[in-house]
Structure formats: structure tokens, C-alpha cells
DNA sequence: TCTCCACCTGTACTTTTGTACAGTTGCCCT
DNA sequence: AGGGCAACTGTACAAAAGTACAGGTGGAGA
């Protein structure tokens, strides 16, 4: 994961009280054990004690801005759907700014540049949904970019807020990625039937068609039938490829 | 990962100054991006500003105490080797205490119980090497237990130290596991030759013997020769099994 | 009731795989 | 100089995989 940093510990010392920093430490510590969205939601509530904002959402997208995962915590779901549906992600000047500057982005700063620009429409529509101002920050990987969006009717434009967001987002990025991975796995597992998963697990052990037919007490033909269906569903060329895909996507366990 | 917690944010507020907490936050934040041992070493130096200790080491072991990974930062390498060689890990009362209580363990507390016990030898030998007192803490997974050892001639026995260690160790556990994973991969990769890894990566993509022979511009026979060797080295029944093993053990990348 | 779908089965055929045999070349290190 | 090893190649053949054809059964839900 790669983040650019604007603020140091010294800055935090300047902008935050002891109690603030303890809250921040608590969030960073709790982030280590987030396993599901509810836990993240709770942490966000705590964050609201530190900096004021109304809505929060976060997402994961590829380098060319295909959306892999997007969660509305207390943004406007209607706006988010509109945003994704209309492909605003591809022209959003805030994302442009984040990718280029790689720092915490305050929306108002972008507004001043884009106000008369055609892309201004994205910012304008956000305002209609009560997302008047906000902060966006995130970190990227070789493959994708994780982004965190803090918005509201009133956003405190200060170095303090930016610094807090910088630290919190760094701590929340890994949980986000892990939630996405788990999500993807459970989604894709529905593609394959229970029997197919079973067959796949025996293929992984190096069992032949005949082996599996006698393990499962079905005919060799049926085993081949299942493997054929698995290959179709996973777009695999052969059983080796199918097992590699299933392992890669977490459809079966490596052990 | 599972940790038991003894200290809350309120405790930290009681025991630490603002500057201390900033140092702690910095360590937790930096821990998120640790990729190699040198970076961890640096963080440990910073930790010495917060609590006094001389030696630090950390390790990863299975539930039945086989050592997977053990790193000496500034412990005594001689002692560590002796410790591992003599199988002290199996009788170490400090580990027993950690597994049972799942809290930060102060060695002196254990001493009082074990002083006249045969296992006392482990603690006694540590003292000979200047590891008079110390703290041990860690968190476990389904598979293994990660432990962090802070030792020295003089160790401050206080709730403050315990609380700091509790927070720092939580933050350092994931980097430790990741370093172990990377280590394991590079070790096992040496088993297979470069050409074999290359062939394995094409097998993973579902390529046939003929495909690979034309990709690598070698004869089909040679490809079969490599695959045969791969299967022997990995104890695989067929190419599907070989790919599954290689993926499971991280010999090749799933992508 | 009817449709959908998971699950099952058969025959017949081509292609691919796994492995037996038996070598050569070139590099590194002792 | 010689041993060890990665990388390469050939022929031949039995076993396994992949795919085409054409079906049957039973349960869940519209």
C-alpha cells in the first residue's frame, strides 16, 4: 500500500489535545481488528467526536476507475447510486486531485478550480444531496485505489481535520481491503453448486476423475460433467486452470 | 487474530503524557507500512524512548510450539540459539502464562511461582545472558502464536509499561506475520529452479504442454520433463495437484 | 402445473498427460 | 579434472482428460 504523507506526529501535537490523540490512537488500534462493516461503522461514530462530518462512505476501485466495492455508511445512498450509474467516477475532479496530489483533498479547494468546468456537475450534484463540502483521501496498491469520503453540510477546513483524516484513513485501509476480499469470495461462491465445490476440492488434492467418482460414489461420467460445468463457470481451459482460479478467488481453501 | 486486552484508552490517559501518546500513535501508524526487519528495528528504537528495555526479539510459533520464525533484534543471539536448541520453548513458563492468561506477562511475576520449579532453569539461563527481567505479549491465530519479548537488566514494572506494550504489540503483530510469509516464500522457492517456476506459472494459466513448449520455445518433451520434476519436488500426483501445492505454499503468485 | 436447476448417467471419440527408456550441453564449484 | 545440477531432447505407449452426442430424476418456487 502506498500513501503520501502531509502531516507528522509533530503536527498532531500542534493541532490536537491529549484527549483527541487518545481517541485517534483508539481508532487506529481498533481498526486492527475490524472484521465487518458494523465495526467500522462504530469507529466512524467515534471519529465524529474528533472532526465534524455528516456522511461517510468508502470504496475500492481499479486504476482505471472500475468500481470493485463501494459502501455507503451514512452518505446518501441515492446520490451514491446516481454517482456510480452516471459514471461520475470517471470524471470526478476530486479523484483526479487525489490521484495527482496523493494528499487529503478538501472539496472546496477543488471547487475553486472546477466551478466553471464541465466536471463541475459532479460537485454540483453532490451539493444537492447535502454533501456540501468534504474530505477525500486514500491509498493505492499495484492494482487498486482505496478511497474514504467524509462529507457534510458543514466541514471544518483546517489542518487539524486533514491530519486526523490522514491518520485514520491509513489505519482503515487494510480493513477495507480485507472486507472486500471476503465479500468477493462469498459472492463468487454462489456461482458454484455445493457438489462443484466438493469436486473442486478433490481436484485440488490431485485426484483423478476415477478417484473422485469412487470417493463420491457417482459415475466417472458425472464427475466429468461437474468438472465441465466448473470450467464453464470459471472460464477455465482445463481442470488445472479451474483449480488455480478457484484458489485465487478464494472459492476453495488452499488447505 | 485474537488478543486479550487488559488496558483501555482511559488507562493510557492515566499513565501516559501527551507526548508519550503521540509516540505510541506514531509507532502504531508506522507499523502499518513495515515491510522489512530494518523498519521494525527502527520502531523498536523509538519504543525505547517510551519504556526502558535493552533487548527485543519476536517470533512466530505453532500451537504445539514448533518455531516457525524467530528474529533477534537486540536480545542475545547466543541465548536465543541455546533457547531454541535446548527446546526451552516447550517448557518456558512465560509462554505457559501467556497462553493461559493472554495478557502482557511480566517475567518477575512468573519467577515468583516457578523459582523452585524444574522449569526455573529457563528463567535462570536468561538471567545469565543479561535478560534479568522482561515483558512478553502476543496474539494468536487459528494456526499460530506471535510473541514479542522485551527484556533487560532493569525493567520498569508498571501498568504504564504493560499498557504501552499491549498497544504496540497489537500493532506489530501483522507486520510480523507478513514478514514471516515473505520469508517462507523465498525459502521454499529455492526448491524449484527458475525454469520450473516459469512452467508452473503457465500451468496455472491452464496452458497445455504444447502451449508452454511454444511459449518458451523448447520441445514438448522438455516441458514434460520440467513438469515431471516439479511433481517430484512437490510430491504432487499430477499437474493440477502441483499447481494447488505451489499456490498454497506461495511458490507462485495467484495472479 | 410448469419451469428451472442441481444432479445424475451413458457411449464414443480425440487430445493431452504421465512416464518409461536413453541420452547431450554448459555452468559452477571443489 | 571431475562431480553435480539445471536445462535440454528424442521415441513410444498406456492412462487420463476433455468433449460431442443424448438423455432421466427430484426438489424449490412462480
Amino acid at each position: 500500500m502506498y500513501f503520501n504523507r502531509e502531516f507528522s506526529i509533530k503536527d498532531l501535537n500542534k493541532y490536537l489535545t491529549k484527549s483527541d490523540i487518545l481517541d485517534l490512537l483508539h481508532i487506529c488500534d481498533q481498526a486492527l481488528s475490524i472484521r465487518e462493516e458494523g465495526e467500522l461503522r462504530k469507529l466512524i461514530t467515534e471519529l465524529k467526536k474528533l472532526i465534524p462530518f455528516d456522511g461517510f462512505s468508502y470504496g475500492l476501485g481499479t486504476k482505471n476507475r472500475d468500481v470493485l466495492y463501494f459502501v455507503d455508511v451514512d452518505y446518501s445512498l441515492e446520490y451514491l447510486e446516481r454517482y456510480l450509474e452516471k459514471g461520475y467516477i470517471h470524471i470526478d475532479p476530486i479523484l483526479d486531485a487525489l490521484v495527482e496530489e496523493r494528499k487529503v483533498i478538501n472539496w472546496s479547494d477543488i471547487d475553486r478550480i472546477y466551478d466553471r468546468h464541465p466536471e463541475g456537475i459532479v460537485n454540483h450534484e453532490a451539493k444537492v444531496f447535502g454533501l456540501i463540502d468534504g474530505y477525500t483521501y486514500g491509498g493505492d496498491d499495484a492494482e487498486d485505489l482505496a478511497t474514504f469520503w467524509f462529507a457534510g453540510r458543514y466541514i471544518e477546513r483546517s489542518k487539524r481535520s486533514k491530519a486526523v483524516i490522514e491518520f485514520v484513513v491509513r489505519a482503515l485501509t487494510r480493513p477495507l481491503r480485507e472486507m472486500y476480499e471476503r465479500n468477493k469470495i462469498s459472492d463468487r461462491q454462489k456461482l458454484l453448486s455445493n457438489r462443484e465445490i466438493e469436486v473442486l476440492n478433490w481436484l485440488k488434492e490431485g485426484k483423478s476423475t476415477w478417484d473422485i467418482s469412487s470417493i463420491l460414489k457417482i459415475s466417472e461420467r458425472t464427475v466429468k460433467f461437474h468438472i465441465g460445468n466448473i470450467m464453464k463457470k470459471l472460464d477455465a481451459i482445463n481442470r488445472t486452470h479451474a483449480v488455480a482460479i478457484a484458489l485465487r478467488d478464494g472459492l476453495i481453501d488452499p488447505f
Side-chain angles (χ1 to χ4, degrees), chain A:
Chain A
M1 262 172 301
Y2 175 70
F3 288 91
N4 224 358
R5 314 207 53 175
E6 192 172 357
F7 300 97
S8 68
I9 287 290
K10 276 183 191 168
D11 295 321
L12 285 183
N13 193 21
K14 222 184 300 169
Y15 306 136
L16 299 185
T17 67
K18 186 182 177 188
S19 163
D20 288 345
I21 297 165
L22 277 167
D23 287 341
L24 194 51
L25 181 64
H26 183 231
I27 292 171
C28 292
D29 178 59
Q30 288 297 306
L32 294 170
S33 52
I34 288 178
R35 303 232 93 214
E36 52 187 62
E37 220 248 311
E39 293 165 325
L40 196 141
R41 208 177 276 264
K42 260 189 208 165
L43 278 191
I44 293 305
T45 315
E46 290 197 39
L47 183 59
K48 284 182 180 171
K49 287 193 291 184
L50 269 172
I51 52 170
F53 62 95
D54 303 321
F56 172 64
S57 72
Y58 55 92
L60 195 66
T62 64
K63 288 281 177 200
N64 44 348
R65 302 211 189 162
D66 293 320
V67 178
L68 298 172
Y69 185 58
F70 219 110
V71 174
D72 169 52
V73 175
D74 41 19
Y75 234 66
S76 156
L77 188 58
E78 197 185 340
Y79 171 68
L80 270 184
E81 277 168 2
R82 195 184 176 84
Y83 180 92
L84 296 176
E85 193 189 307
K86 293 219 169 189
Y88 284 168
I89 197 170
H90 295 287
I91 57 166
D92 190 338
I94 291 165
L95 268 180
D96 293 343
L98 176 62
V99 170
E100 193 180 329
E101 297 194 33
R102 314 200 50 78
K103 302 194 292 195
V104 180
I105 301 296
N106 177 252
W107 300 1
S108 306
D109 295 336
I110 307 302
D111 272 0
R112 274 176 299 177
I113 305 166
Y114 280 91
D115 243 3
R116 288 179 201 83
H117 217 264
E119 283 87 351
I121 186 69
V122 181
N123 302 17
H124 174 70
E125 290 218 358
K127 286 188 176 61
V128 172
F129 284 87
L131 308 166
I132 308 294
D133 195 3
Y135 285 107
T136 299
Y137 186 50
D140 68 350
D141 216 331
E143 310 284 328
D144 49 48
L145 174 69
T147 52
F148 293 78
W149 307 72
F150 305 85
R153 301 203 162 271
Y154 169 72
I155 289 291
E156 191 185 84
R157 294 183 57 192
S158 66
K159 293 204 168 183
R160 180 181 176 281
S161 297
K162 277 197 174 184
V164 167
I165 284 178
E166 190 175 280
F167 275 79
V168 168
V169 162
R170 282 170 61 88
L172 293 181
T173 297
R174 198 193 301 263
L176 183 156
R177 284 179 199 279
E178 288 179 353
M179 280 193 287
Y180 162 67
E181 289 299 329
R182 275 194 292 277
N183 211 52
K184 190 178 67 177
I185 289 165
S186 58
D187 271 8
R188 300 226 30 194
Q189 240 163 4
K190 288 170 201 151
L191 267 174
L192 298 180
S193 71
N194 292 337
R195 203 56 155 174
E196 283 159 359
I197 294 285
E198 209 175 350
V199 169
L200 217 28
N201 270 305
W202 287 116
L203 284 180
K204 176 192 76 189
E205 300 297 333
K207 301 298 181 191
S208 69
T209 304
W210 184 89
D211 291 336
I212 298 172
S213 77
S214 56
I215 290 167
L216 299 181
K217 309 219 183 306
I218 53 181
S219 77
E220 278 195 73
R221 183 63 199 83
T222 307
V223 176
K224 285 186 176 184
F225 166 82
H226 287 310
I227 295 172
N229 288 335
I230 291 166
M231 292 193 300
K232 259 183 234 157
K233 288 184 181 179
L234 300 184
D235 280 320
I237 296 165
N238 50 40
R239 55 182 72 191
T240 303
H241 196 200
V243 166
I245 291 169
L247 284 169
R248 182 196 66 194
D249 293 352
L251 301 173
I252 54 173
D253 204 78
F255 298 100

